[in-house]
Every structure is written in C-alpha cells, then in structure tokens.
Amino acid sequence: PDAVPGFAAPTVHTQEAHHPINSDFTARWTRADAMQLQAMSDPTAGSRENSMPTEYTMPTVSQDFPDMSNDQVWVWDTWPLTDERSHQYSVLGWEVVFSLVADRSLGFDERHQFARIGYFYREAGIPADERPENGGWTYGGLLFEDGVTGVIFDDQSFSHQTEWSGSARVFPDGTVKLFFTDVAFYRDASGADIKPYDPRIALSIGTIHADDDGVSFTGFDAVTDLLQADGRWYQDGDQNPYFNFRDPFTFEDPAHPGETFMVFEGNSAVERGSRSCTVEDLGYAADDPHAEDLTEVMDNGAVYQMANVGLAVAENDDLTAWRFLPPILSANCVTDQTERPQIYIKDGKYYLFTISHRSTFAWGMDGPEGVYGFVGDGIRSDFQPLNRGSGLALGNPTNLNYLQGNPFDPDFNQHPGAFQAYSHYVMPNGLVQSFIDTIGTTDNFRRGGTLGPTVRLIISGTTAMVDRDYGDVGLGGYADIPADRNLVPTFSD
Ligand code: FRU
C-alpha cells in the first residue's frame, strides 16, 4: 500500500513462505505497519464517535445484551471442538463450547486469578434467529475437578492456581484433547509477587458423551506439562516477571502432511527493558521522510512491548510431546500482547489472526481492541498485515483521538463500544465470536462477562471486512458458535 499523506509507508512484505520447521524466519509486524492504524483514523472524529474505518469496525453492540449463562458464571475466552483443519463439530447433534468461567461473586476484573474451564452445550442445526436471544446454551459445569490442574507444579506453595485459554481437538472415537494454559501464581497477602507466575502449555485428555439429555465428559483427571517458556525464543520469568506465554492452538498444515503444529502467545526472549529493537522492527524505508528514529523510539520506552506468536511442532502422534520452533511473528516495539493466535487457511492462503488490546501498544503506537490479521503463503511467511498494511482485521468502534479509560472506568469521551468485544475467535466461513467486556462510558456502563453477537468477516486476499449483510446489519446472534460438521463417535453408548 502507498503512504497516507503525513505518514510513513508500511513495510513491504512478500508473503513468501519459509519452511516451518527448518527455517528460522520470523515475520515482523513493524512500527511502519502498525502506524497505518493511526493513518486511517479520522483526526476530526468528535467525542464518542468512531474514528476508524467502518469496514474494519464491529457494529455497535447494545448495552441491553442477554447473558448466556443465565447469571451462573462470568464467561470470557471461548473455543469450540475442532479437528486438525479447524472445522467445528457437534457431537451426536450437540454443539459444545469451552469457556473460561469465574464465580459471579468476584468482580469481573478479578477473574484472571480464578479462571476455570467450563463448558456449555446446545442442540445443533437451529438458525440463530430461532434460538433464545442468549444463544440457548446449557451450562454443563467445570471440566476439571478441583486440584487436577495444580498437580504439575513442582512448587506447590502457589497462592492461586488457574486455567487459561487454549483449544480443544476432537477425534473420531470421541476423544477430546484439551490444550490449555495451566497457571500458578505465587503472591503474598497484599497481592505482590513472591516469585513470577508460572504459565505452562498443557494437555489433558478426556472423552465426550452425549445422549438425549445433553453432553458430559469423562477423563480430564490428569494433566501433561507440554511446554514452558525457554528464554531462548520465548521470554521467561527470569527475563521478565510479566512475560506472556499462553493460548495454544493446534492444527495441521496441508503443505506438511503428518505434522501437527501449535501457535501460541509469547514474547521475544530478551531481558525486560533491554534496548532490543532494531531498524528492521521499525520497518521504514531508508528514504521515508516520516520514518522514526530508533534511538528515540527506544528512549521513550517502546522496548517494553515485545510480543511474538510462537510455533511448536508435535513430536509424536499422540500430541503428548512437543518442541519449540522459532516464532512466526514478532511485534517488537509495537505491542506486548498477540493473544489467542490461530491459523486460518482460505483459498490457499494462510491467515494468522491474533487479538490485541489498545492498552498494550508501545509508545507512539495506537489502535483499537480487536483481532489483527496477517496473510502469507505458509504458516511461516513474510506475513502481510491485512487492510492497508495495518494488521487491523476487526476493531471495536474506537476514537483514537480520546483516551480509552479502563473496562471498569471507560473514558467519558470514548466511543461506548471501545471495550464491547475481546478475545475474538475466527470460525469457519469467517464468523467471529468474542466476549463482552464493558459497554458504555464512565457515566453509564455495563460490564459483560458473556459472549457478544457473532459477526462475519469477508476474508479475501489482503483484506478482511465486516459483512453488514450478516445478521442485523452485521450483528448476528449472541453466543452463536455453529458447528459445520457433526461427529457420530465410534464409541458405543
Ligand atoms: C485473553 C486472555 C488470554 C488468557 C486469558 C486469561 O482474554 O488474556 O490470553 O488466556 O485471557 O484470562
């Protein structure tokens, strides 16, 4: 894409594929790329207006949203049962999703230390507009008994032990392999870290059962520790007590049959605050009049935001042993979090989607809460950020001319939808589900803790745009996560 007047041009990316296992090529989401987010923002947008292009903006969600758990639990990150190509399965006619859940007696912002994985089910095959407004799910309860996910930690003196996001693979015999983030916190009574928290990518195996009454699981009574941040490619707790390492998503690549891969959220493995960004991370052409100066960028603290998207490959067919490969994307001096990454294959192209927050962008960078997307010719490519070179695939309505505030205190002048959706997951046919964090402004807002309306992205080439013909002017059913396949397991009961 060409430069917007007054802004630097985005970096040129070839989309060329490199071998996922044998190459150490890591694509860069550069500052020049992410600067396009500000280049596309309307500097004249007034109080509570959206400053971002409509085609990349989720339609505004009403404050009057229904709750999918009928007030039983807080719900946020959610994922379906998938196969190696990310098809979504119902089992014997029941759709199933896994969600991070927490007790409603907690404040919604306290959820992270108390997250447990729960599940919901509903009958498959009913159009969204014929279901109850809240999606019509039945809450099935927690997946793990108390204590099961704490066993893997050598140091049992944790103050909090919690279950964070992942993904679930279903197999023809009804086996479910749940890849998730098993986390221990070591905090004192005042909430300060005694030592860094310990997030591990883990696996637990169970079996799904379904009959006329609904869905249940057996198994999930043991956990295998798969991966711990290595400090070589993936920043660890010695390098930065606030490191990010989580959210495994597994898939197969048709170009490399017989291998199973995993993408996950990481950080570049450098000492926290070290002056580790490079001119390549900035990504400006040498003669660009609007290029930033590397020293100035680092002096201003952008070095504290060093996200990456990690890659691992399974070492056995059971998917119980994995090894790290070099990251497929870095966002050094751009943002600190590239969360819940996933690979989406369409028309022979490989799309990497990952979620990020406005608040995790580095100094001098800005962009909405949302899902960011990159396209290339393979899972390890010189990824081209979607949509005018920026990376923004689907943002919340946001006004970059005003502060964001916080979900518990959204800015008075901000668009009321700036926190309306997070933790997006891109599903078959471009459908996107996400949870509601906050809707409103400081004088009048409502917290979410339930899934928002599903929307649809039209994904093609280097663009992704909101389909406003889907649902009600772009907004589909709440908590609508439809299966595109049904499994009749080979087990008999
Ligand atoms: C995204 C996220 C995930 C993490 C979970 C913890 O909403 O930050 O990366 O697994 O929430 O609550």
Side-chain angles (χ1 to χ4, degrees), residues 336-361:
D336 203 43
Q337 293 189 348
T338 43
E339 310 201 88
R340 296 196 71 192
Q342 54 178 127
I343 295 285
Y344 183 96
I345 302 174
K346 180 171 184 276
D347 304 333
K349 288 286 189 181
Y350 292 69
Y351 292 85
L352 166 63
F353 290 110
T354 178
I355 57 170
S356 206
H357 286 292
R358 187 171 181 199
S359 63
T360 57
F361 276 105

mmCIF file of all heavy atoms in Angstrom, residues 336-361:
data_model
loop_
_atom_site.group_PDB
_atom_site.id
_atom_site.type_symbol
_atom_site.label_atom_id
_atom_site.label_comp_id
_atom_site.label_asym_id
_atom_site.label_seq_id
_atom_site.Cartn_x
_atom_site.Cartn_y
_atom_site.Cartn_z
ATOM 1 N N ASP A 336 2.715 -5.487 23.227
ATOM 2 C CA ASP A 336 3.223 -6.508 24.145
ATOM 3 C C ASP A 336 2.421 -7.799 24.109
ATOM 4 O O ASP A 336 2.825 -8.786 24.695
ATOM 5 C CB ASP A 336 3.237 -5.966 25.581
ATOM 6 C CG ASP A 336 4.243 -6.720 26.443
ATOM 7 O OD1 ASP A 336 5.357 -6.972 25.952
ATOM 8 O OD2 ASP A 336 3.910 -7.090 27.585
ATOM 9 N N GLN A 337 1.256 -7.765 23.466
ATOM 10 C CA GLN A 337 0.410 -8.956 23.513
ATOM 11 C C GLN A 337 -0.155 -9.296 22.143
ATOM 12 O O GLN A 337 -0.869 -8.485 21.543
ATOM 13 C CB GLN A 337 -0.749 -8.766 24.504
ATOM 14 C CG GLN A 337 -0.263 -8.661 25.945
ATOM 15 C CD GLN A 337 -1.387 -8.686 26.956
ATOM 16 O OE1 GLN A 337 -2.562 -8.570 26.604
ATOM 17 N NE2 GLN A 337 -1.041 -8.844 28.221
ATOM 18 N N THR A 338 0.166 -10.473 21.647
ATOM 19 C CA THR A 338 -0.506 -11.052 20.488
ATOM 20 C C THR A 338 -1.116 -12.356 21.005
ATOM 21 O O THR A 338 -0.465 -13.384 21.071
ATOM 22 C CB THR A 338 0.478 -11.282 19.326
ATOM 23 O OG1 THR A 338 1.697 -11.832 19.832
ATOM 24 C CG2 THR A 338 0.799 -9.966 18.621
ATOM 25 N N GLU A 339 -2.399 -12.263 21.402
ATOM 26 C CA GLU A 339 -3.048 -13.314 22.182
ATOM 27 C C GLU A 339 -3.905 -14.222 21.310
ATOM 28 O O GLU A 339 -4.355 -13.857 20.226
ATOM 29 C CB GLU A 339 -3.953 -12.664 23.241
ATOM 30 C CG GLU A 339 -3.246 -11.584 24.037
ATOM 31 C CD GLU A 339 -3.918 -11.308 25.350
ATOM 32 O OE1 GLU A 339 -3.570 -11.992 26.322
ATOM 33 O OE2 GLU A 339 -4.782 -10.423 25.397
ATOM 34 N N ARG A 340 -4.167 -15.411 21.852
ATOM 35 C CA ARG A 340 -5.041 -16.391 21.195
ATOM 36 C C ARG A 340 -4.784 -16.479 19.687
ATOM 37 O O ARG A 340 -5.722 -16.394 18.879
ATOM 38 C CB ARG A 340 -6.515 -16.091 21.478
ATOM 39 C CG ARG A 340 -6.876 -16.219 22.947
ATOM 40 C CD ARG A 340 -8.376 -16.303 23.158
ATOM 41 N NE ARG A 340 -8.917 -17.586 22.703
ATOM 42 C CZ ARG A 340 -10.209 -17.858 22.550
ATOM 43 N NH1 ARG A 340 -11.121 -16.944 22.803
ATOM 44 N NH2 ARG A 340 -10.609 -19.043 22.138
ATOM 45 N N PRO A 341 -3.534 -16.659 19.261
ATOM 46 C CA PRO A 341 -3.285 -16.751 17.822
ATOM 47 C C PRO A 341 -3.929 -17.999 17.231
ATOM 48 O O PRO A 341 -4.114 -19.008 17.920
ATOM 49 C CB PRO A 341 -1.758 -16.826 17.739
ATOM 50 C CG PRO A 341 -1.325 -17.399 19.043
ATOM 51 C CD PRO A 341 -2.316 -16.851 20.056
ATOM 52 N N GLN A 342 -4.263 -17.915 15.962
ATOM 53 C CA GLN A 342 -4.814 -19.062 15.254
ATOM 54 C C GLN A 342 -4.422 -18.943 13.785
ATOM 55 O O GLN A 342 -4.168 -17.849 13.282
ATOM 56 C CB GLN A 342 -6.338 -19.129 15.415
ATOM 57 C CG GLN A 342 -7.054 -17.865 15.016
ATOM 58 C CD GLN A 342 -8.578 -17.956 15.140
ATOM 59 O OE1 GLN A 342 -9.200 -17.132 15.760
ATOM 60 N NE2 GLN A 342 -9.181 -18.937 14.500
ATOM 61 N N ILE A 343 -4.361 -20.086 13.109
ATOM 62 C CA ILE A 343 -4.091 -20.124 11.670
ATOM 63 C C ILE A 343 -5.389 -20.491 10.962
ATOM 64 O O ILE A 343 -6.081 -21.433 11.342
ATOM 65 C CB ILE A 343 -2.986 -21.150 11.339
ATOM 66 C CG1 ILE A 343 -1.645 -20.720 11.949
ATOM 67 C CG2 ILE A 343 -2.889 -21.370 9.824
ATOM 68 C CD1 ILE A 343 -0.933 -19.589 11.237
ATOM 69 N N TYR A 344 -5.721 -19.724 9.940
ATOM 70 C CA TYR A 344 -6.965 -19.877 9.188
ATOM 71 C C TYR A 344 -6.563 -19.987 7.722
ATOM 72 O O TYR A 344 -5.936 -19.078 7.178
ATOM 73 C CB TYR A 344 -7.821 -18.632 9.444
ATOM 74 C CG TYR A 344 -9.197 -18.600 8.830
ATOM 75 C CD1 TYR A 344 -10.305 -18.972 9.574
ATOM 76 C CD2 TYR A 344 -9.397 -18.163 7.521
ATOM 77 C CE1 TYR A 344 -11.579 -18.918 9.027
ATOM 78 C CE2 TYR A 344 -10.667 -18.107 6.970
ATOM 79 C CZ TYR A 344 -11.758 -18.480 7.734
ATOM 80 O OH TYR A 344 -13.020 -18.430 7.193
ATOM 81 N N ILE A 345 -6.890 -21.111 7.103
ATOM 82 C CA ILE A 345 -6.454 -21.339 5.730
ATOM 83 C C ILE A 345 -7.634 -21.121 4.782
ATOM 84 O O ILE A 345 -8.706 -21.704 4.973
ATOM 85 C CB ILE A 345 -5.872 -22.757 5.575
ATOM 86 C CG1 ILE A 345 -4.698 -22.950 6.552
ATOM 87 C CG2 ILE A 345 -5.416 -22.999 4.124
ATOM 88 C CD1 ILE A 345 -4.139 -24.361 6.597
ATOM 89 N N LYS A 346 -7.448 -20.262 3.788
ATOM 90 C CA LYS A 346 -8.530 -19.990 2.828
ATOM 91 C C LYS A 346 -7.926 -19.693 1.463
ATOM 92 O O LYS A 346 -6.996 -18.893 1.364
ATOM 93 C CB LYS A 346 -9.360 -18.786 3.295
ATOM 94 C CG LYS A 346 -10.495 -18.449 2.342
ATOM 95 C CD LYS A 346 -11.446 -17.405 2.912
ATOM 96 C CE LYS A 346 -12.616 -17.175 1.982
ATOM 97 N NZ LYS A 346 -12.306 -16.214 0.914
ATOM 98 N N ASP A 347 -8.491 -20.302 0.434
ATOM 99 C CA ASP A 347 -8.052 -20.067 -0.947
ATOM 100 C C ASP A 347 -6.541 -20.237 -1.085
ATOM 101 O O ASP A 347 -5.876 -19.463 -1.785
ATOM 102 C CB ASP A 347 -8.445 -18.653 -1.417
ATOM 103 C CG ASP A 347 -9.942 -18.396 -1.297
ATOM 104 O OD1 ASP A 347 -10.719 -19.368 -1.362
ATOM 105 O OD2 ASP A 347 -10.322 -17.217 -1.131
ATOM 106 N N GLY A 348 -5.970 -21.218 -0.375
ATOM 107 C CA GLY A 348 -4.537 -21.477 -0.478
ATOM 108 C C GLY A 348 -3.670 -20.486 0.280
ATOM 109 O O GLY A 348 -2.447 -20.587 0.265
ATOM 110 N N LYS A 349 -4.302 -19.517 0.933
ATOM 111 C CA LYS A 349 -3.559 -18.528 1.717
ATOM 112 C C LYS A 349 -3.659 -18.865 3.206
ATOM 113 O O LYS A 349 -4.649 -19.440 3.667
ATOM 114 C CB LYS A 349 -4.128 -17.130 1.471
ATOM 115 C CG LYS A 349 -3.789 -16.582 0.101
ATOM 116 C CD LYS A 349 -2.328 -16.173 0.059
ATOM 117 C CE LYS A 349 -1.999 -15.421 -1.223
ATOM 118 N NZ LYS A 349 -0.581 -15.058 -1.271
ATOM 119 N N TYR A 350 -2.641 -18.467 3.957
ATOM 120 C CA TYR A 350 -2.576 -18.728 5.393
ATOM 121 C C TYR A 350 -2.762 -17.407 6.128
ATOM 122 O O TYR A 350 -1.952 -16.481 5.960
ATOM 123 C CB TYR A 350 -1.218 -19.332 5.756
ATOM 124 C CG TYR A 350 -1.010 -20.718 5.206
ATOM 125 C CD1 TYR A 350 -0.863 -20.930 3.841
ATOM 126 C CD2 TYR A 350 -0.971 -21.829 6.057
ATOM 127 C CE1 TYR A 350 -0.683 -22.207 3.332
ATOM 128 C CE2 TYR A 350 -0.783 -23.101 5.554
ATOM 129 C CZ TYR A 350 -0.646 -23.286 4.198
ATOM 130 O OH TYR A 350 -0.474 -24.552 3.691
ATOM 131 N N TYR A 351 -3.833 -17.349 6.902
ATOM 132 C CA TYR A 351 -4.104 -16.144 7.685
ATOM 133 C C TYR A 351 -3.754 -16.425 9.140
ATOM 134 O O TYR A 351 -4.196 -17.422 9.714
ATOM 135 C CB TYR A 351 -5.576 -15.753 7.584
ATOM 136 C CG TYR A 351 -5.953 -15.288 6.186
ATOM 137 C CD1 TYR A 351 -6.307 -16.209 5.192
ATOM 138 C CD2 TYR A 351 -5.929 -13.941 5.854
ATOM 139 C CE1 TYR A 351 -6.617 -15.789 3.913
ATOM 140 C CE2 TYR A 351 -6.238 -13.515 4.569
ATOM 141 C CZ TYR A 351 -6.586 -14.443 3.605
ATOM 142 O OH TYR A 351 -6.888 -14.023 2.325
ATOM 143 N N LEU A 352 -2.969 -15.549 9.703
ATOM 144 C CA LEU A 352 -2.687 -15.595 11.139
ATOM 145 C C LEU A 352 -3.551 -14.523 11.786
ATOM 146 O O LEU A 352 -3.427 -13.335 11.444
ATOM 147 C CB LEU A 352 -1.197 -15.303 11.375
ATOM 148 C CG LEU A 352 -0.766 -14.990 12.806
ATOM 149 C CD1 LEU A 352 -1.014 -16.166 13.743
ATOM 150 C CD2 LEU A 352 0.708 -14.588 12.833
ATOM 151 N N PHE A 353 -4.447 -14.951 12.671
ATOM 152 C CA PHE A 353 -5.245 -13.987 13.432
ATOM 153 C C PHE A 353 -4.807 -14.013 14.885
ATOM 154 O O PHE A 353 -4.494 -15.083 15.437
ATOM 155 C CB PHE A 353 -6.745 -14.321 13.338
ATOM 156 C CG PHE A 353 -7.333 -14.073 11.977
ATOM 157 C CD1 PHE A 353 -7.716 -15.134 11.163
ATOM 158 C CD2 PHE A 353 -7.505 -12.777 11.502
ATOM 159 C CE1 PHE A 353 -8.247 -14.906 9.899
ATOM 160 C CE2 PHE A 353 -8.037 -12.537 10.235
ATOM 161 C CZ PHE A 353 -8.408 -13.609 9.435
ATOM 162 N N THR A 354 -4.799 -12.837 15.518
ATOM 163 C CA THR A 354 -4.410 -12.737 16.924
ATOM 164 C C THR A 354 -5.079 -11.499 17.503
ATOM 165 O O THR A 354 -5.293 -10.514 16.788
ATOM 166 C CB THR A 354 -2.872 -12.670 17.053
ATOM 167 O OG1 THR A 354 -2.511 -12.515 18.434
ATOM 168 C CG2 THR A 354 -2.270 -11.511 16.272
ATOM 169 N N ILE A 355 -5.416 -11.565 18.776
ATOM 170 C CA ILE A 355 -6.117 -10.434 19.400
ATOM 171 C C ILE A 355 -5.129 -9.539 20.137
ATOM 172 O O ILE A 355 -4.093 -10.005 20.632
ATOM 173 C CB ILE A 355 -7.213 -10.920 20.368
ATOM 174 C CG1 ILE A 355 -6.652 -11.837 21.461
ATOM 175 C CG2 ILE A 355 -8.323 -11.624 19.597
ATOM 176 C CD1 ILE A 355 -7.616 -12.168 22.586
ATOM 177 N N SER A 356 -5.442 -8.242 20.187
ATOM 178 C CA SER A 356 -4.587 -7.335 20.944
ATOM 179 C C SER A 356 -5.419 -6.192 21.509
ATOM 180 O O SER A 356 -6.499 -5.885 21.013
ATOM 181 C CB SER A 356 -3.443 -6.803 20.072
ATOM 182 O OG SER A 356 -2.344 -6.438 20.876
ATOM 183 N N HIS A 357 -4.879 -5.604 22.569
ATOM 184 C CA HIS A 357 -5.569 -4.520 23.285
ATOM 185 C C HIS A 357 -5.018 -3.152 22.869
ATOM 186 O O HIS A 357 -3.832 -3.014 22.564
ATOM 187 C CB HIS A 357 -5.283 -4.637 24.790
ATOM 188 C CG HIS A 357 -5.974 -5.734 25.503
ATOM 189 N ND1 HIS A 357 -7.334 -5.755 25.712
ATOM 190 C CD2 HIS A 357 -5.484 -6.829 26.128
ATOM 191 C CE1 HIS A 357 -7.648 -6.824 26.433
ATOM 192 N NE2 HIS A 357 -6.546 -7.498 26.693
ATOM 193 N N ARG A 358 -5.854 -2.123 22.979
ATOM 194 C CA ARG A 358 -5.331 -0.762 22.790
ATOM 195 C C ARG A 358 -4.237 -0.469 23.814
ATOM 196 O O ARG A 358 -3.221 0.145 23.504
ATOM 197 C CB ARG A 358 -6.472 0.265 22.904
ATOM 198 C CG ARG A 358 -5.987 1.662 22.545
ATOM 199 C CD ARG A 358 -7.113 2.674 22.438
ATOM 200 N NE ARG A 358 -6.556 3.981 22.076
ATOM 201 C CZ ARG A 358 -7.169 5.140 22.243
ATOM 202 N NH1 ARG A 358 -8.410 5.170 22.741
ATOM 203 N NH2 ARG A 358 -6.588 6.278 21.903
ATOM 204 N N SER A 359 -4.427 -0.937 25.048
ATOM 205 C CA SER A 359 -3.520 -0.579 26.150
ATOM 206 C C SER A 359 -2.155 -1.259 26.069
ATOM 207 O O SER A 359 -1.244 -0.864 26.781
ATOM 208 C CB SER A 359 -4.159 -0.933 27.489
ATOM 209 O OG SER A 359 -4.363 -2.338 27.566
ATOM 210 N N THR A 360 -1.998 -2.277 25.221
ATOM 211 C CA THR A 360 -0.700 -2.956 25.170
ATOM 212 C C THR A 360 0.182 -2.456 24.027
ATOM 213 O O THR A 360 1.303 -2.945 23.852
ATOM 214 C CB THR A 360 -0.861 -4.494 25.074
ATOM 215 O OG1 THR A 360 -1.648 -4.821 23.930
ATOM 216 C CG2 THR A 360 -1.524 -5.052 26.326
ATOM 217 N N PHE A 361 -0.299 -1.481 23.238
ATOM 218 C CA PHE A 361 0.561 -0.907 22.201
ATOM 219 C C PHE A 361 1.722 -0.140 22.846
ATOM 220 O O PHE A 361 1.598 0.417 23.935
ATOM 221 C CB PHE A 361 -0.235 0.032 21.283
ATOM 222 C CG PHE A 361 -0.955 -0.694 20.172
ATOM 223 C CD1 PHE A 361 -2.326 -0.883 20.218
ATOM 224 C CD2 PHE A 361 -0.254 -1.196 19.086
ATOM 225 C CE1 PHE A 361 -2.988 -1.567 19.200
ATOM 226 C CE2 PHE A 361 -0.909 -1.877 18.057
ATOM 227 C CZ PHE A 361 -2.278 -2.061 18.118
#
